[in-house]
Amino acid sequence: MQACNILVINCGSSSIKFALVNPTEPDFTLSGLAERLGSADAALHWQYRGSKDSKPIGNADHRQALAELLPLVERAAQGKLLGIGHRVVHGGEYFTTASWIDSKALQEIKSLEPLAPLHIPANVQGIEAATKLFPDLPQVAVFDTAFHQSLPEHAFRYALPEVLYRQHGVRRYGFHGTSHHYVSAQAASFSGLAYGDSSWLVAHLGNGCSTCAVVNGQSRDTSMGLTPLEGLVMGTRSGDVDPNLHGHLARTMGWSLDEINHTLNQDSGLLGLSGLSNDMRTLEQAREQGHVGATLAIEVFCYRLAKSIASMSCALLRLDGLVFTGGIGENSALIRNKTVQHLSLFNMQLDREANALCIRGVAGPIHTPGHTRVLVIPTNEERQIALDTLALLKQHTA
Ligand code: ADP
């Protein structure tokens, strides 16, 4: 089969994650991370055909890190690189699908900075560096929000004055779209159902967590909103709180907006509740040893998750199954079991053995026969970005 390598790039403010993806092969030929960019201990770590390597790239910025990467990519792709797929965190209402990056698209992406002030500048840096280094290759942007642009208005509008939506873009956008898309499509194929005629509830549980209702291959509702803070309890993010909390903390504690935002985004969630860690593995071990905070954090996490899954069901006419994914969803039998225990009204019940077996990349059904289908499906955002990039390249060359 013809090689069709896509370089997938995910730029953060001081890091670049990358993978060379050939969708006809199960594993990535090359993948890795450039980290601590802009500092003296910047480093490039990569894995090529299973073997790991690293090199210091002191003080490298995004462009220099990509230049260091170039020979590795060329060797791994053997001259057969078709294009670059960039993960972009926010596409606003303008980008409803993956998009070819030309100067107009780049301007549009830059104009979205107020919606994602920490991430968009880093994404733009990556795009500009890659365009300079690979001027002859097509560059495609794949947006975390685009999959959710199919939400009906009653699901994406907040009950706020209309001017805030029309003039300032205040609405629910949702995130993790690439993951929700990938695992719901996999769930359909796994179950022998046509993706275009299937209905799923998806729980993506990583450091960030969100739920999604996917009907006939389209997102119809999701738990994250204007920003990735809304919805579920996450590693360090609070998820939903009373919208008056900002005012309350400002009045009673004298906290500034920055302090309140920091608390809700970095000190809350599993970390805040447990007083111990944002990492679910650590919390599970501490719970085993009777740690009160860890036990409470896990109980709140699972109850809030179940509540969100139940509320997402309003977007469905039928339910073909619930899908767990992300580091927690793919590995924690405890969290899956506790969550599903709150969902017995949906005829959900797990098979203890099957649930215990689905860890470390093993996909499968974990429900008991006669009950609603529950699946564990490992996510693969890089593969979905490569698939979206390839689909767009094919359209352009058709
Ligand atoms: P990110 O959102 O950064 O991509 P991941 O999807 O890797 O994060 O998920 C990270 C979370 O998955 C952490 O809370 C981690 O503790 C949890 N996790 C990973 N492996 C396990 C495990 N075996 N049991 C429980 N939780 C796990």
Side-chain angles (χ1 to χ4, degrees):
M1 190 167 297
Q2 196 208 347
C4 46
N5 292 299
I6 300 291
L7 177 62
V8 174
I9 294 179
N10 180 359
C11 277
S13 54
S14 64
S15 70
I16 304 175
K17 283 190 201 152
F18 57 90
L20 188 69
V21 184
N22 179 345
T24 61
E25 290 177 8
D27 298 320
F28 303 152
T29 328
L30 171 75
S31 61
L33 168 75
E35 61 174 354
R36 297 196 284 273
L37 297 178
S39 79
D41 43 359
L44 181 62
H45 310 280
W46 70 94
Q47 186 159 0
Y48 175 58
R49 295 205 181 280
S51 65
K52 292 184 178 175
D53 217 335
S54 285
K55 89 184 227 191
I57 49 170
N59 292 310
D61 60 13
H62 285 72
R63 185 165 168 199
Q64 286 157 337
L66 282 176
E68 292 283 346
L69 193 60
L70 186 61
L72 297 176
V73 173
E74 281 172 344
R75 182 178 58 160
Q78 295 174 336
K80 290 170 188 150
L81 185 60
L82 294 189
I84 302 187
H86 294 266
R87 179 185 181 198
V88 178
V89 73
H90 216 305
E93 286 191 325
Y94 185 82
F95 294 104
T96 57
T97 57
S99 171
W100 196 275
I101 306 177
D102 53 17
S103 54
K104 181 163 184 289
L106 188 57
Q107 276 318 312
E108 288 295 338
I109 293 172
K110 286 180 179 169
S111 76
L112 293 167
E113 189 177 326
L115 288 173
L118 297 180
H119 293 96
I120 288 285
N123 295 156
V124 167
Q125 248 182 322
I127 291 169
E128 288 180 334
T131 311
K132 285 206 178 98
L133 278 168
F134 305 90
D136 301 327
L137 277 184
Q139 315 265 343
V140 169
V142 180
F143 301 91
D144 270 20
T145 52
F147 184 59
H148 301 301
Q149 279 297 303
S150 46
L151 255 61
E153 191 161 7
H154 63 253
F156 75 68
R157 286 288 294 273
Y158 289 115
L160 290 169
E162 191 178 9
V163 64
L164 290 178
Y165 168 55
R166 300 269 173 229
Q167 290 182 20
H168 303 282
V170 177
R171 53 157 283 179
R172 309 182 64 253
Y173 291 96
F175 297 86
H176 294 142
T178 311
S179 177
H180 289 300
H181 182 186
Y182 180 79
V183 299
S184 55
Q186 291 286 309
S189 113
F190 196 93
S191 312
L193 298 170
Y195 190 40
D197 182 17
S198 63
S199 289
W200 304 97
L201 295 170
V202 182
H204 174 107
L205 311 173
N207 282 309
C209 301
S210 68
T211 54
C212 184
V214 184
V215 180
N216 303 340
Q218 294 189 332
S219 172
R220 292 287 165 79
D221 202 354
T222 189
S223 59
M224 283 178 168
L226 175 71
T227 75
L229 183 61
E230 187 175 335
L232 305 176
V233 173
M234 312 185 209
T236 59
R237 288 175 239 165
S238 62
D240 291 342
V241 289
D242 186 323
N244 270 329
L245 183 63
H246 275 76
H248 178 79
L249 294 176
R251 270 192 316 276
T252 58
M253 318 270 287
W255 285 6
S256 69
L257 253 189
D258 279 351
E259 283 172 307
I260 298 168
N261 280 336
H262 185 91
T263 298
L264 295 182
N265 283 283
Q266 266 96 40
D267 296 338
S268 298
L270 294 172
L271 174 65
L273 277 165
S274 67
L276 179 68
S277 172
N278 63 319
D279 190 290
M280 191 57 92
R281 270 166 302 198
T282 308
L283 295 183
E284 287 192 18
Q285 282 159 12
R287 174 181 171 274
E288 294 264 301
Q289 288 153 14
H291 190 285
V292 175
T295 307
L296 176 68
I298 286 173
E299 293 303 324
V300 177
F301 182 90
C302 295
Y303 182 66
R304 289 269 298 274
L305 171 59
K307 245 167 79 162
S308 175
I309 290 168
S311 73
M312 286 293 137
S313 73
C314 294
L316 309 184
L317 290 176
R318 70 163 205 261
L319 176 58
D320 288 317
L322 167 66
V323 185
F324 283 101
T325 195
I328 299 172
E330 293 166 29
N331 290 295
S332 176
L334 175 78
I335 297 299
R336 296 188 299 238
N337 188 42
K338 282 193 161 292
T339 304
V340 164
Q341 278 177 2
H342 293 300
L343 293 166
S344 54
L345 266 183
F346 288 76
N347 190 30
M348 287 185 194
Q349 189 183 81
L350 296 191
D351 178 286
R352 183 194 266 262
E353 228 168 88
N355 188 28
L357 283 175
C358 284
I359 52 169
R360 291 193 212 98
V362 177
I366 56 171
H367 55 281
T368 44
H371 289 82
T372 302
R373 187 185 281 115
V374 183
L375 302 173
V376 176
I377 307 272
T379 193
N380 195 330
E381 290 166 276
E382 291 84 2
R383 179 171 287 271
Q384 186 63 49
I385 291 172
L387 289 171
D388 288 355
T389 303
L390 266 179
L392 202 68
L393 298 188
K394 280 188 186 144
Q395 269 175 32
H396 273 249
T397 51

